């Protein structure tokens, strides 16, 4: 419904996705899928409306200091606690690693909501916006590694973050 006005004004759409739209993290399949989908929608829309002068950009933040992170951690640990003994043996470490990684990021490199909002405003004010903006220290670090490290090296790094503790200890 808004597209005719966007075409006429050669306006723009800015979608806030997540670094979860660029790489999948264990324990968050629905969230990750939704962010990959939003990245895909933005890519398709960008190509469909480029001829009309409409700009489509995505902003990909990493961790943001909001209650959502604590809720995700609490949910992950509740789900771990609901696993059967066999499931805990197989998957419990993933839930624990997610909680650890999320808490560490939340307490150290996560951005504030105001910092991400400033990126949104900057993109809206930019005359010729880029297709993608990686926002925040944690996002820049992770996406930087994703874009520069060989895929197997990046996968190994993520795998080590989520490996069973005894697997990590044996490798060291």
């Amino acid at each position: 419904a808004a597209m005719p006005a966007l075409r006429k004004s050669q306006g723009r759409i800015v979608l806030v996705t997540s670094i979860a739209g660029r790489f999948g993290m264990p324990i968050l399949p629905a969230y990750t899928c939704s962010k990959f989908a939003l990245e895909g929608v933005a890519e398709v829309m960008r190509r469909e409306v480029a001829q009309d002068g409409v700009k489509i950009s995505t902003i990909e933040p990493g961790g943001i200091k909001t209650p959502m992170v604590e809720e995700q951690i609490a949910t992950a640990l509740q789900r771990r606690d609901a696993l059967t003994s066999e499931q805990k043996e197989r998957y419990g470490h993933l839930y624990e690693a997610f909680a650890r990684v999320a808490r560490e990021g939340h307490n150290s490199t996560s951005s504030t909501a105001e910092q991400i909002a400033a990126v949104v405003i900057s993109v809206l004010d930019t005359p010729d916006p880029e297709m993608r903006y990686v926002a925040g220290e944690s996002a820049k670090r992770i996406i930087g590694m994703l874009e520069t490290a060989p895929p197997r090296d990046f996968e190994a790094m993520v795998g080590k973050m989520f490996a069973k503790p005894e697997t990590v200890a044996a490798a060291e």
Side-chain angles (χ1 to χ4, degrees):
M3 199 52 74
L6 283 168
R7 283 187 186 104
K8 184 176 182 180
S9 67
Q10 294 191 328
R12 66 187 63 176
I13 296 174
V14 176
L15 301 170
V16 179
T17 65
S18 168
I19 59 171
R22 300 279 297 279
F23 87 101
M25 201 158 79
I27 308 306
L28 296 176
Y31 181 78
T32 298
C33 289
S34 72
K35 297 306 178 178
F36 266 85
L38 198 52
E39 290 281 344
V41 165
E43 199 166 295
V44 169
M45 288 174 64
R46 187 179 302 116
R47 291 177 181 144
E48 289 178 349
V49 299
Q51 69 205 17
D52 299 317
V54 177
K55 305 288 186 181
I56 310 291
S57 297
T58 57
I59 297 174
E60 302 165 341
I64 303 174
K65 292 182 185 196
T66 66
M68 183 181 94
V69 176
E70 288 301 325
E71 291 167 14
Q72 286 177 325
I73 292 168
T75 299
L77 295 176
Q78 288 169 356
R79 289 182 178 161
R80 179 209 55 202
D81 293 344
L83 297 174
T84 66
S85 295
E86 182 180 335
Q87 290 169 330
K88 279 183 187 171
E89 174 63 29
R90 185 175 300 273
Y91 303 112
H93 68 282
L94 295 174
Y95 291 88
E96 291 159 9
F98 170 80
R100 178 181 42 76
V101 169
R103 193 169 284 117
E104 286 171 3
H106 191 64
N107 292 333
S108 62
T109 59
S110 289
S111 301
T112 65
E114 292 78 13
Q115 289 169 317
I116 302 305
V119 174
V120 172
I121 291 167
S122 173
V123 173
L124 288 169
D125 287 342
T126 299
D128 190 24
E130 299 293 329
M131 295 184 299
R132 280 194 172 105
Y133 292 84
V134 179
E137 181 185 336
S138 64
K140 288 176 182 174
R141 191 179 76 233
I142 292 168
I143 296 301
M145 287 186 283
L146 175 67
E147 292 177 343
T148 58
R152 285 184 186 205
D153 291 352
F154 183 80
E155 191 66 20
M157 179 201 66
V158 174
K160 188 173 182 179
M161 286 171 39
F162 288 91
K164 286 185 176 182
E166 60 269 17
T167 305
V168 174
E172 293 177 346

